[in-house]
Amino acid sequence: MRLELMTSPAVAAYLAERPGIVIPIGATEQHGPDGLIGTDHLCPEAIARRFGARDGVIVAPTLAYGMSQFHLGFAGSISLRPSTLAALIQDLVASLAATGFTRIYFLNGHGGNLAPLRAAIQEFYAARSFAGVTEPCPVHCRVRSWWELDGVDALRKALYGAAEGYHVTPSEIALTLASHPDHIAETDRPAPPPLADMILHGGDNYYDAADFRRRFPDGRVVSDASLATRQHGEDLLALAVDDLAKDFFGFCRSV
Amino acid sequence: MRLELMTSPAVAAYLAERPGIVIPIGATEQHGPDGLIGTDHLCPEAIARRFGARDGVIVAPTLAYGMSQFHLGFAGSISLRPSTLAALIQDLVASLAATGFTRIYFLNGHGGNLAPLRAAIQEFYAARSFAGVTEPCPVHCRVRSWWELDGVDALRKALYGAAEGYHVTPSEIALTLASHPDHIAETDRPAPPPLADMILHGGDNYYDAADFRRRFPDGRVVSDASLATRQHGEDLLALAVDDLAKDFFGFCRSV
Amino acid sequence: MRLELMTSPAVAAYLAERPGIVIPIGATEQHGPDGLIGTDHLCPEAIARRFGARDGVIVAPTLAYGMSQFHLGFAGSISLRPSTLAALIQDLVASLAATGFTRIYFLNGHGGNLAPLRAAIQEFYAARSFAGVTEPCPVHCRVRSWWELDGVDALRKALYGAAEGYHVTPSEIALTLASHPDHIAETDRPAPPPLADMILHGGDNYYDAADFRRRFPDGRVVSDASLATRQHGEDLLALAVDDLAKDFFGFCRSV
Amino acid sequence: MRLELMTSPAVAAYLAERPGIVIPIGATEQHGPDGLIGTDHLCPEAIARRFGARDGVIVAPTLAYGMSQFHLGFAGSISLRPSTLAALIQDLVASLAATGFTRIYFLNGHGGNLAPLRAAIQEFYAARSFAGVTEPCPVHCRVRSWWELDGVDALRKALYGAAEGYHVTPSEIALTLASHPDHIAETDRPAPPPLADMILHGGDNYYDAADFRRRFPDGRVVSDASLATRQHGEDLLALAVDDLAKDFFGFCRSV
Amino acid sequence: MRLELMTSPAVAAYLAERPGIVIPIGATEQHGPDGLIGTDHLCPEAIARRFGARDGVIVAPTLAYGMSQFHLGFAGSISLRPSTLAALIQDLVASLAATGFTRIYFLNGHGGNLAPLRAAIQEFYAARSFAGVTEPCPVHCRVRSWWELDGVDALRKALYGAAEGYHVTPSEIALTLASHPDHIAETDRPAPPPLADMILHGGDNYYDAADFRRRFPDGRVVSDASLATRQHGEDLLALAVDDLAKDFFGFCRSV
Amino acid sequence: MRLELMTSPAVAAYLAERPGIVIPIGATEQHGPDGLIGTDHLCPEAIARRFGARDGVIVAPTLAYGMSQFHLGFAGSISLRPSTLAALIQDLVASLAATGFTRIYFLNGHGGNLAPLRAAIQEFYAARSFAGVTEPCPVHCRVRSWWELDGVDALRKALYGAAEGYHVTPSEIALTLASHPDHIAETDRPAPPPLADMILHGGDNYYDAADFRRRFPDGRVVSDASLATRQHGEDLLALAVDDLAKDFFGFCRSV
Ligand code: NI
Ligand code: NI
Ligand code: NI
Ligand code: NI
Ligand code: NI
Ligand code: NI
């Protein structure tokens, strides 16, 4: 049930039954020599839409643009500043709250979104807290990246181990092989550059775009997406839909 | 050629040939008793994607959320504040400029977006102008709403006249009948409420959501979408693609 | 009745009778070799003050600075960023609303102001809409540029046709000849540069200041202000005052 | 020499000779039962324009709106938020810097403007300092309130002593008697309310509008404007023009 | 070596030898019935200052205020909005970059700070990336919470297991017992409320202040700080200093 | 009574008795060849903490970072932009208001903070005033710099006269000699540079960092801190505590 393909009265009827909505959020950024630029939003979109259609849950239009500043050194990458992404999230949450949703679930597909996304949700609540409102806010938000869902996480570790890496991961490439088979080839995908060609940074963070390009000249970060297969993608997708269903409905029931 | 389904090297190759990109921008807001909530972004998306596929032009992921604050009184409407939309646009333009695009074309599907969109583009240029840069900015932006393209505008006036109205117009409904035939019925669509049931405002502007709902209780504004047919939509779509081609390539050639 | 020349008790008495106020808004920017830098705010100021004095309507102090970033390549131009102008407008509207005005009419004299002005008004309403207020906002805003008032528009087209152009128009020069006869000469004004000296842009938008200066080296945009006469200005001013009266009082009565 | 009544080429010629400009800045706020709402901007405007005309110095359009939030409890008061005023000031300074002015003098008429005005100027410089620019900024800003100019300050203390008070001061009323004799009566102005009717606050600051109105029910703050005469105003105005000349030209010469 | 107790020439001399600085960052928020309100900033401050003194590393003044909006329902809690904290961090990083530091290490003591802190650092880099700077930024930032340092993490899990909980943890109470022995009693600290008195939320996030207070009426979140001892604190502090030394110097050497 | 060393229940008990809190605010900026970088926050911190301990008044954690953009040309200086400092102040005031404080006293140690601090407080009140709240805000804020307290001001003028200067003043150096005797030597402090080596600016304001460094190459501004003694510092500190007590309790009692 894609929100954009429903009518307003149908949404009103849904809200009488269910409190929740899923918002896929990702990025539009380089994914190495053969990954799709939209990988990070196509993955959560595919999972959320399959889940929404199967279980009768509303899925909002995908947030295709995310916080990808460190990828701006590669053609076709588009980024929002963290503060812009945060403003966007606050407005979505406030809109959904104004029209009656009380369980808002962000299914994320890009690690760089997490800090602005969480900051935005806290900023939304802060307005109430500073104003000293004594009634708890009925609107709850939840953020999950698709790869941290239980079954998905177990499978991707089992399939790829350290080759999963940090960017252009085989699991996300597998997922796009399943969801967009016409746009990415299953075979003859390039092997990853040797680790020796990368200047690893000292932790889990990225700096600016020029620094990223210096460290990872072809855009991939310690991952070997040549391991991905379409069948892996189908399996990951099926697990993700099941995991999401469990997590989403639990969230909807929580008080 | 949807950007999200391309690889970064493919975009780099494109940029060696062509300077331009099309960004569909719309809204996610109530469209009366039977219009699709996504109408305003589904229309420019359909036009842009058909054009991009036909003529080999890159189309960015659709901006599905727009400035729809006056629709927040109806279930399923989602709005950005004007300042948020403006920040979003500035970041997109700056990203595209950073990675080499110099002709950025926004194909718009929602009137309420125009002011924030234009303000944002001027804010982008203002940074250069305040800094006293004496080299003209190589990046040009253009904004067009699909209904003002020449052929489209002539046809919708010929087909519907005053019944075109201002919101939930027969032309946009016709377009979604063509682009999303499975999600909206061509027949038995409800007749518009009598004009006498509306409290018309004194101009071309909208006030807050409660005021909008008071004036237009079922969400439609002086339009009769029951006139729309799928064939109208096909005709409008075909004209729009031709018009867009002419306008976009002229823009790309302009100095 | 200029607000700045009234006392607060007199304003309170006025508000018991009338709901509305007129705010002239323009710009401070180059107007070619012989136009006044203040042309864009002097015109709506002259119209609004003559109307206010004649019909007993309060006129606020003129907003002399507007969104003129593309004129910053010429000495004496001053610009606000779009976001600054928007903040300014929001505060004026909120102040007037707080002290009891419910019909706020902006009489505009500069095209570049329209997008930020309209965005600001929507941002003002958005606060209410996001908060889910169900009582319609009693405060209404209206924006009109003086040249689009019916009688004025007809006369300027009749007098100048295509020579009206886009910047340093004969109609605005005529108006300043009438309103500020000591500061601009009626005769011997320079002929416009040949069209061939201009690099026309591909639409209705401007880019950065360096680009503007490149296209329009002496600051005028496809207009022939040498056609303007003081009598034209008197006629335009008289029509504008009548038009404004009709439009303003209609707005005050609207629900 | 009012900027708005000059042409751009005339400003360019001026800049070849002189580096400086004066910007009158004030407020639009209640001034008790008989003071003009525009008093705070009419005073610096009168001084600056008389000085500019006499000594051939450019005076920018008056900033008529200031930071007057604590006056919003009285009809006709209009305020900018401090952050809006600061944004406005930054844009003016940046514009003037971009077109060649290097000595920018704010002649202020409202105490509430000082903090935002000074904060804005520091924000302007901060951009350079954070960027580590090692060339000193050639643009200097100066802020003076007209009543602190030497001769003016001495005379107002001599004339009124403690009756000068803090708001609706006899000196500013005297100045408007001189500058706008048709709009304020020299005789029969109301005596101030007894001090006993005021709840004085514990310092030099104001709180919110409701608090101000509670403390100072008729809008005047410990001042006796009934002492003002037109002749006082003429004397103050003449002194102010001389003081401003000395201070402005010293500023222009400073390195 | 506390920055505030050094002279500027001494800092200049240090920068010739070492590139890095440590910034303790925490919060000022309720810590249940007997925890210190400053716990979250006192802990990283104690660790950083002991490390700085021992190993000759500059430690900046502690950021004592953090993002604690969900604690505002308890007396003495003070919060920054996420956007304010982000602005603060950006200015610190930009200042340190401007004066020559290239390795900036945030030692964090409050989980709620992480999202705004990381968003701020990305916003700092985004300015460069959007501008298309092709030289990698020489300034690197690193964020670590003291409890995730290797040795500390192992010890706290060994000591407390599940009783560590999420807020008012025994490890942080132990640390303050060691660092501020005069301000918190080692004995007779209250037992935690029964788990049954808490309404656990469905994940790792907090909502508004009223919701937090409803769930956790005495301010503690699933932790048993009565297990903490001063000796634990001394051990944790010693491990933390060693861990920090290793991590900080590795960061300083990284390229 | 340092807030960070109290428990939340203890603060709640305090609030039943007393309405007020003191917040020391200063800066972290170069203080010439031998002054401590933290001088501007160490001074108000020392005064406030001695007062708080003596008279049982809560003192918040010190705001160690202030608006010091013009010092960024010297190693170790850290600055907030004026707008960041203002946001910080607003959040502190709003937090304290939300948890029950109604008299908020800022004891300041850096002149550059005053404009942003005052602007922030007015912005806090403006929200209420724009909203038209008719109940006076119960929360009052007060700003005082320690050197303007009556007794302190008299003594520093008596001790140093013109040698007090504007930055690295003997009075602040004396205060740190008393409060931090281990970190600054009482003897052999360098004589000030000859006045002839300074390019004095034309007033009471500073421009950008490069300009400051050009005017004041060693960082001191027309002051002779070699006059300071520890005994002076002890005397100033004692007077300051007494002055603060009088001023703070008067503020707490004010209506
Ligand atoms: Ni990815
Ligand atoms: Ni529509
Ligand atoms: Ni004009
Ligand atoms: Ni006044
Ligand atoms: Ni804690
Ligand atoms: Ni100092």
Side-chain angles (χ1 to χ4, degrees), chain E residues 201-223:
Chain E
H201 49 79
D204 53 6
N205 209 352
Y206 294 105
Y207 308 133
D208 63 321
D211 185 88
F212 185 97
R213 180 135 202 168
R214 175 177 68 109
R215 294 178 190 278
F216 312 112
D218 88 339
R220 291 176 290 180
V221 181
V222 205
S223 61

mmCIF file of all heavy atoms in Angstrom, chain E residues 201-223:
data_model
loop_
_atom_site.group_PDB
_atom_site.id
_atom_site.type_symbol
_atom_site.label_atom_id
_atom_site.label_comp_id
_atom_site.label_asym_id
_atom_site.label_seq_id
_atom_site.Cartn_x
_atom_site.Cartn_y
_atom_site.Cartn_z
ATOM 1 N N HIS E 201 10.461 1.120 26.702
ATOM 2 C CA HIS E 201 10.127 1.494 25.324
ATOM 3 C C HIS E 201 10.678 0.434 24.382
ATOM 4 O O HIS E 201 11.513 -0.392 24.744
ATOM 5 C CB HIS E 201 10.644 2.884 24.981
ATOM 6 C CG HIS E 201 12.064 3.131 25.322
ATOM 7 N ND1 HIS E 201 13.095 2.685 24.554
ATOM 8 C CD2 HIS E 201 12.613 3.776 26.375
ATOM 9 C CE1 HIS E 201 14.221 3.048 25.097
ATOM 10 N NE2 HIS E 201 13.978 3.704 26.213
ATOM 11 N N GLY E 202 10.193 0.484 23.176
ATOM 12 C CA GLY E 202 10.458 -0.593 22.247
ATOM 13 C C GLY E 202 11.765 -0.477 21.495
ATOM 14 O O GLY E 202 11.828 -0.837 20.329
ATOM 15 N N GLY E 203 12.813 0.042 22.122
ATOM 16 C CA GLY E 203 14.050 0.113 21.366
ATOM 17 C C GLY E 203 15.092 0.933 22.088
ATOM 18 O O GLY E 203 15.101 0.991 23.305
ATOM 19 N N ASP E 204 15.964 1.556 21.350
ATOM 20 C CA ASP E 204 17.113 2.225 21.937
ATOM 21 C C ASP E 204 16.975 3.730 21.902
ATOM 22 O O ASP E 204 17.953 4.458 21.880
ATOM 23 C CB ASP E 204 18.382 1.804 21.192
ATOM 24 C CG ASP E 204 18.231 2.014 19.690
ATOM 25 O OD1 ASP E 204 17.208 2.580 19.256
ATOM 26 O OD2 ASP E 204 19.134 1.605 18.957
ATOM 27 N N ASN E 205 15.781 4.209 21.854
ATOM 28 C CA ASN E 205 15.576 5.633 21.671
ATOM 29 C C ASN E 205 14.696 6.176 22.792
ATOM 30 O O ASN E 205 14.013 5.425 23.478
ATOM 31 C CB ASN E 205 14.871 5.853 20.323
ATOM 32 C CG ASN E 205 15.239 7.195 19.729
ATOM 33 O OD1 ASN E 205 15.894 8.007 20.378
ATOM 34 N ND2 ASN E 205 14.815 7.432 18.525
ATOM 35 N N TYR E 206 14.732 7.472 22.975
ATOM 36 C CA TYR E 206 13.850 8.113 23.942
ATOM 37 C C TYR E 206 12.935 9.070 23.216
ATOM 38 O O TYR E 206 13.271 9.596 22.153
ATOM 39 C CB TYR E 206 14.673 8.861 24.997
ATOM 40 C CG TYR E 206 15.495 7.943 25.859
ATOM 41 C CD1 TYR E 206 16.868 7.834 25.695
ATOM 42 C CD2 TYR E 206 14.890 7.158 26.833
ATOM 43 C CE1 TYR E 206 17.618 6.971 26.479
ATOM 44 C CE2 TYR E 206 15.636 6.285 27.623
ATOM 45 C CZ TYR E 206 16.998 6.196 27.448
ATOM 46 O OH TYR E 206 17.734 5.347 28.217
ATOM 47 N N TYR E 207 11.784 9.329 23.823
ATOM 48 C CA TYR E 207 10.843 10.269 23.241
ATOM 49 C C TYR E 207 10.909 11.577 24.034
ATOM 50 O O TYR E 207 11.998 12.002 24.401
ATOM 51 C CB TYR E 207 9.447 9.634 23.208
ATOM 52 C CG TYR E 207 9.446 8.261 22.553
ATOM 53 C CD1 TYR E 207 8.802 7.173 23.131
ATOM 54 C CD2 TYR E 207 10.124 8.037 21.341
ATOM 55 C CE1 TYR E 207 8.814 5.910 22.532
ATOM 56 C CE2 TYR E 207 10.138 6.773 20.741
ATOM 57 C CZ TYR E 207 9.489 5.720 21.344
ATOM 58 O OH TYR E 207 9.502 4.485 20.757
ATOM 59 N N ASP E 208 9.798 12.177 24.342
ATOM 60 C CA ASP E 208 9.865 13.481 25.021
ATOM 61 C C ASP E 208 10.011 13.329 26.536
ATOM 62 O O ASP E 208 9.979 12.211 27.082
ATOM 63 C CB ASP E 208 8.637 14.313 24.661
ATOM 64 C CG ASP E 208 7.347 13.676 25.128
ATOM 65 O OD1 ASP E 208 7.225 12.436 25.033
ATOM 66 O OD2 ASP E 208 6.457 14.393 25.605
ATOM 67 N N ALA E 209 10.158 14.467 27.208
ATOM 68 C CA ALA E 209 10.432 14.471 28.647
ATOM 69 C C ALA E 209 9.284 13.870 29.449
ATOM 70 O O ALA E 209 9.510 13.135 30.423
ATOM 71 C CB ALA E 209 10.717 15.903 29.116
ATOM 72 N N ALA E 210 8.050 14.164 29.060
ATOM 73 C CA ALA E 210 6.915 13.629 29.818
ATOM 74 C C ALA E 210 6.858 12.108 29.672
ATOM 75 O O ALA E 210 6.541 11.381 30.626
ATOM 76 C CB ALA E 210 5.605 14.265 29.337
ATOM 77 N N ASP E 211 7.160 11.630 28.480
ATOM 78 C CA ASP E 211 7.175 10.188 28.262
ATOM 79 C C ASP E 211 8.270 9.519 29.099
ATOM 80 O O ASP E 211 8.042 8.468 29.705
ATOM 81 C CB ASP E 211 7.403 9.911 26.765
ATOM 82 C CG ASP E 211 7.295 8.431 26.455
ATOM 83 O OD1 ASP E 211 6.178 7.976 26.193
ATOM 84 O OD2 ASP E 211 8.329 7.732 26.510
ATOM 85 N N PHE E 212 9.435 10.134 29.142
ATOM 86 C CA PHE E 212 10.530 9.562 29.932
ATOM 87 C C PHE E 212 10.135 9.461 31.404
ATOM 88 O O PHE E 212 10.335 8.435 32.060
ATOM 89 C CB PHE E 212 11.791 10.430 29.783
ATOM 90 C CG PHE E 212 13.003 9.846 30.464
ATOM 91 C CD1 PHE E 212 13.934 9.106 29.751
ATOM 92 C CD2 PHE E 212 13.223 10.029 31.827
ATOM 93 C CE1 PHE E 212 15.050 8.566 30.377
ATOM 94 C CE2 PHE E 212 14.333 9.493 32.463
ATOM 95 C CZ PHE E 212 15.250 8.753 31.737
ATOM 96 N N ARG E 213 9.550 10.522 31.896
ATOM 97 C CA ARG E 213 9.170 10.544 33.321
ATOM 98 C C ARG E 213 8.103 9.495 33.624
ATOM 99 O O ARG E 213 8.093 8.894 34.704
ATOM 100 C CB ARG E 213 8.690 11.957 33.693
ATOM 101 C CG ARG E 213 8.288 12.088 35.117
ATOM 102 C CD ARG E 213 8.811 13.331 35.793
ATOM 103 N NE ARG E 213 8.819 13.100 37.223
ATOM 104 C CZ ARG E 213 9.409 13.845 38.117
ATOM 105 N NH1 ARG E 213 10.068 14.928 37.755
ATOM 106 N NH2 ARG E 213 9.358 13.547 39.392
ATOM 107 N N ARG E 214 7.191 9.303 32.682
ATOM 108 C CA ARG E 214 6.164 8.285 32.835
ATOM 109 C C ARG E 214 6.791 6.885 32.911
ATOM 110 O O ARG E 214 6.395 6.055 33.735
ATOM 111 C CB ARG E 214 5.220 8.350 31.628
ATOM 112 C CG ARG E 214 4.155 7.266 31.586
ATOM 113 C CD ARG E 214 3.231 7.454 30.385
ATOM 114 N NE ARG E 214 3.917 7.216 29.129
ATOM 115 C CZ ARG E 214 3.702 6.155 28.332
ATOM 116 N NH1 ARG E 214 2.792 5.254 28.666
ATOM 117 N NH2 ARG E 214 4.358 6.010 27.196
ATOM 118 N N ARG E 215 7.754 6.646 32.041
ATOM 119 C CA ARG E 215 8.364 5.316 32.001
ATOM 120 C C ARG E 215 9.278 5.061 33.200
ATOM 121 O O ARG E 215 9.348 3.946 33.716
ATOM 122 C CB ARG E 215 9.207 5.148 30.729
ATOM 123 C CG ARG E 215 8.387 5.171 29.475
ATOM 124 C CD ARG E 215 9.273 5.061 28.236
ATOM 125 N NE ARG E 215 8.480 5.330 27.053
ATOM 126 C CZ ARG E 215 7.702 4.430 26.454
ATOM 127 N NH1 ARG E 215 7.648 3.202 26.913
ATOM 128 N NH2 ARG E 215 6.979 4.755 25.411
ATOM 129 N N PHE E 216 10.029 6.080 33.576
ATOM 130 C CA PHE E 216 11.088 5.913 34.578
ATOM 131 C C PHE E 216 10.900 6.952 35.670
ATOM 132 O O PHE E 216 11.596 7.966 35.725
ATOM 133 C CB PHE E 216 12.456 6.065 33.899
ATOM 134 C CG PHE E 216 12.575 5.257 32.639
ATOM 135 C CD1 PHE E 216 12.658 5.867 31.398
ATOM 136 C CD2 PHE E 216 12.560 3.865 32.691
ATOM 137 C CE1 PHE E 216 12.730 5.125 30.235
ATOM 138 C CE2 PHE E 216 12.627 3.108 31.526
ATOM 139 C CZ PHE E 216 12.718 3.737 30.293
ATOM 140 N N PRO E 217 9.948 6.705 36.567
ATOM 141 C CA PRO E 217 9.511 7.761 37.503
ATOM 142 C C PRO E 217 10.610 8.311 38.402
ATOM 143 O O PRO E 217 10.536 9.461 38.806
ATOM 144 C CB PRO E 217 8.427 7.068 38.334
ATOM 145 C CG PRO E 217 7.965 5.920 37.497
ATOM 146 C CD PRO E 217 9.161 5.474 36.711
ATOM 147 N N ASP E 218 11.621 7.525 38.719
ATOM 148 C CA ASP E 218 12.662 8.108 39.584
ATOM 149 C C ASP E 218 13.927 8.434 38.803
ATOM 150 O O ASP E 218 14.947 8.791 39.384
ATOM 151 C CB ASP E 218 12.958 7.206 40.792
ATOM 152 C CG ASP E 218 14.017 6.162 40.551
ATOM 153 O OD1 ASP E 218 14.283 5.827 39.386
ATOM 154 O OD2 ASP E 218 14.595 5.682 41.544
ATOM 155 N N GLY E 219 13.844 8.329 37.487
ATOM 156 C CA GLY E 219 14.932 8.827 36.660
ATOM 157 C C GLY E 219 15.981 7.812 36.271
ATOM 158 O O GLY E 219 16.817 8.087 35.406
ATOM 159 N N ARG E 220 15.959 6.645 36.896
ATOM 160 C CA ARG E 220 16.952 5.627 36.560
ATOM 161 C C ARG E 220 16.391 4.666 35.517
ATOM 162 O O ARG E 220 15.206 4.348 35.553
ATOM 163 C CB ARG E 220 17.370 4.866 37.824
ATOM 164 C CG ARG E 220 18.178 5.756 38.772
ATOM 165 C CD ARG E 220 18.523 5.046 40.057
ATOM 166 N NE ARG E 220 17.322 4.849 40.885
ATOM 167 C CZ ARG E 220 17.334 4.247 42.084
ATOM 168 N NH1 ARG E 220 18.470 3.785 42.590
ATOM 169 N NH2 ARG E 220 16.209 4.132 42.771
ATOM 170 N N VAL E 221 17.245 4.195 34.623
ATOM 171 C CA VAL E 221 16.773 3.332 33.542
ATOM 172 C C VAL E 221 17.461 1.967 33.620
ATOM 173 O O VAL E 221 18.569 1.781 33.129
ATOM 174 C CB VAL E 221 17.036 3.983 32.169
ATOM 175 C CG1 VAL E 221 16.514 3.073 31.047
ATOM 176 C CG2 VAL E 221 16.372 5.346 32.088
ATOM 177 N N VAL E 222 16.772 1.042 34.260
ATOM 178 C CA VAL E 222 17.191 -0.362 34.256
ATOM 179 C C VAL E 222 18.630 -0.552 34.705
ATOM 180 O O VAL E 222 19.382 -1.339 34.123
ATOM 181 C CB VAL E 222 17.022 -0.988 32.845
ATOM 182 C CG1 VAL E 222 16.865 -2.504 32.963
ATOM 183 C CG2 VAL E 222 15.853 -0.415 32.094
ATOM 184 N N SER E 223 19.040 0.170 35.696
ATOM 185 C CA SER E 223 20.420 0.051 36.150
ATOM 186 C C SER E 223 20.410 -0.072 37.666
ATOM 187 O O SER E 223 19.478 0.341 38.334
ATOM 188 C CB SER E 223 21.218 1.292 35.753
ATOM 189 O OG SER E 223 20.652 2.441 36.370
#
